């Protein structure tokens, strides 16, 4: 039973540990009074099915935390668990789940490199304490190299050996779940392991944006913001497509970018599409993105997918028959996160029911993952938008616009529903694809459609018709 640690940790007694790590992070990212007032009183309630439930002291505390930290908390949970996550903040006196923090062993289950506690930090040199927040599983060692990612992998490896001296910047792009974040973290680990004094900064573009807005809004000194990013030796900025349409943040990022490059520091940028197709991105940034090395990760071949499954099974000390590897790899074709998810689920079920992971068993326990109502699981948000717009006979631009007429709003919520069901995008990513709407709007829209499918024949009809279009 002990072999699928990450899965079990997420399923069981981990909300308290998880919240503890999050509090530690937020403590570093916010000022003391805010931390004491808003974050410290939070209690963990549960963490199940990737839904983290935390309890705030009262309604006001809840609203503040939701507004100011909701996105960051979701992002941290996703970073820690490597899975899409949701957050619910309830009010009242909650019973925290499980006993507090045993266990380094449990904590490791999250795959996060735990930052030293303040007491531990006193014992180590200051520079060493600034360990970057990186997922400990995302290393070069654990990355399976195939024809689809060979070039990217080699470039990232070279950069990690001589940051700032080979390709600068590196622009890495590819579809969802293909290993971009993994490679960025791998560079971070490698640089930091070789040179503990290096200031490695990993940040999602969303966090960069939120940080920037927070500084502008609260009138905090920009010097603090500049110090955080412009003093990096290696800046890893993930999902840059999030900056599209955000001109002030782009301008700030442009200055961060030039300051770093001029100082000979390394920048690695990831994106879900190539620089030239980033609509709403300033020309000067696009041309800067292209001035170093641009490399893409393509969809993995069947052989690579099988190799990835074999490696993951090996890591779990499970002997997975080849035919089962092929069975899964044949059905999950373009998203490695989903491939991993299928394997973790198969192994968990096989473990819990003490049944060997045969093809028949896999077909049974993975039925809904591999073949949900016949829709291809790899459907992209672009395909969803296009099918929904066709069905409602509206243009893409109207769907993405602020227009709130009933039909357009319904169409938009149906996109949110399908994107939640059939892509691996996070709520925030879906929101950004849908004209920069925030994560709570997406969560609300998707839940509304889930409820209305049962109650409203018009919505039911629309959803089943669009499902057929997506097959
Ligand atoms: P992206 O950032 O491109 O959306 P991630 O880096 O988050 O994708 O990868 C999704 C999951 O798939 C992660 O758990 C990652 O470890 C795993 N993964 C992706 N590519 C590989 C690979 N080549 N070898 C091993 N694991 C991989
Ligand atoms: Mg990523």
């Amino acid at each position: 039973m002990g072999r699928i640690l990450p899965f079990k940790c997420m399923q069981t007694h981990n909300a308290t540990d998880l919240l503890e790590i999050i509090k530690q992070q937020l403590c570093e990212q916010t000022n003391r009074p805010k931390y004491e007032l808003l974050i410290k009183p939070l209690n963990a309630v549960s963490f199940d099915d990737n839904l983290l439930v935390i309890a705030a002291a009262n309604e006001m505390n809840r609203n503040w935390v939701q507004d100011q930290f909701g996105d960051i908390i979701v992002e941290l949970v996703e970073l820690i668990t490597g899975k899409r996550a949701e957050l619910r903040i309830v009010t009242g006196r909650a019973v925290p789940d499980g006993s507090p923090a045993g266990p380094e062993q449990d904590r490791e289950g999250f795959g996060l490199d735990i930052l030293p506690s303040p007491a531990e930090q006193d014992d180590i040199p200051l520079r060493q304490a600034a360990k970057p927040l990186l997922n400990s599983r995302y290393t070069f060692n654990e990355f399976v190299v195939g024809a689809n990612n060979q070039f990217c992998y080699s470039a990232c490896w070279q950069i990690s050996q001589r940051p700032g001296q080979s390709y600068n910047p590196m622009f890495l792009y590819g579809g969802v779940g293909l290993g971009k974040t993994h490679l960025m973290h791998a560079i971070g680990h490698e640089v930091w392991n070789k040179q503990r004094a290096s200031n490695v900064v990993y940040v999602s573009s969303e966090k960069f944006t939120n940080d920037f807005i927070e500084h502008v809004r609260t009138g905090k000194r920009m010097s603090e913001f500049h110090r955080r990013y412009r003093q990096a030796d290696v800046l890893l900025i993930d999902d840059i497509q999030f900056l599209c349409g955000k001109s002030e943040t782009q301008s700030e990022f442009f200055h961060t970018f030039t300051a770093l490059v001029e100082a000979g520091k390394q920048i690695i940028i990831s994106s879900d599409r190539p620089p030239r197709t980033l609509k709403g991105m300033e020309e000067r940034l696009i041309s800067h993105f292209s001035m170093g090395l641009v490399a893409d990760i393509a969809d993995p071949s069947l052989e690579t997918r099988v190799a990835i499954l074999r490696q993951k099974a090996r890591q779990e000390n499970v002997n997975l028959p080849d035919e089962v590897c092929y069975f899964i790899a044949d059905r999950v074709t373009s998203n490695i996160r989903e491939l991993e998810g299928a394997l973790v689920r198969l192994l968990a079920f096989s473990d819990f029911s003490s049944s060997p992971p045969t093809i028949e068993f896999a077909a049974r326990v993975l039925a809904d993952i591999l073949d949900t109502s016949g829709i291809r699981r790899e459907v992209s948000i672009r395909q969803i938008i296009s099918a929904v717009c066709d069905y409602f006979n509206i243009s893409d631009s109207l769907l993405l616009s602020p227009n709130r007429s009933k039909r357009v709003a319904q169409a938009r919520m149906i996109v949110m529903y399908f994107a939640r069901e059939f892509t691996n995008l996070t709520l925030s990513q879906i929101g950004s694809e849908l004209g920069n709407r925030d994560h709570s709007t997406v969560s609300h829209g998707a839940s509304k459609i889930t409820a209305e499918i049962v109650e409203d024949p018009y919505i039911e009809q629309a959803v089943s018709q669009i499902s057929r279009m997506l097959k």
Side-chain angles (χ1 to χ4, degrees), residues 180-181 202 238-239 270 337 429:
K180 301 181 294 295
T181 300
Y202 167 84
D238 213 349
D239 292 322
S270 87
R337 188 175 296 121
Q429 286 169 331

Side-chain angles (χ1 to χ4, degrees), residues 6-77:
F7 182 82
K8 284 183 184 166
C9 281
M10 280 185 268
Q11 287 290 307
T12 57
H13 47 276
N14 56 22
T16 311
D17 283 3
L18 189 54
L19 184 63
E20 207 198 17
I21 298 168
I22 289 168
K23 281 184 175 177
Q24 240 180 55
Q25 288 305 312
L26 294 180
C27 180
E28 289 181 4
Q29 292 177 21
T30 188
N31 60 36
R32 197 79 211 167
K34 226 181 205 179
Y35 175 78
E36 295 286 334
L37 193 70
L38 300 179
I39 306 296
K40 210 169 158 193
L42 297 174
N43 274 316
V45 178
S46 62
F47 182 54
D48 222 351
D49 240 356
N50 296 331
L51 171 70
L52 175 65
V53 183
I54 54 183
N58 52 42
E59 194 72 17
M60 199 172 82
N61 181 208
R62 187 184 71 161
N63 295 342
W64 277 90
V65 173
Q66 182 68 61
D67 287 344
Q68 299 201 17
F69 297 100
D71 281 353
I72 306 178
I73 295 176
V74 170
E75 195 185 306
L76 283 168
V77 178

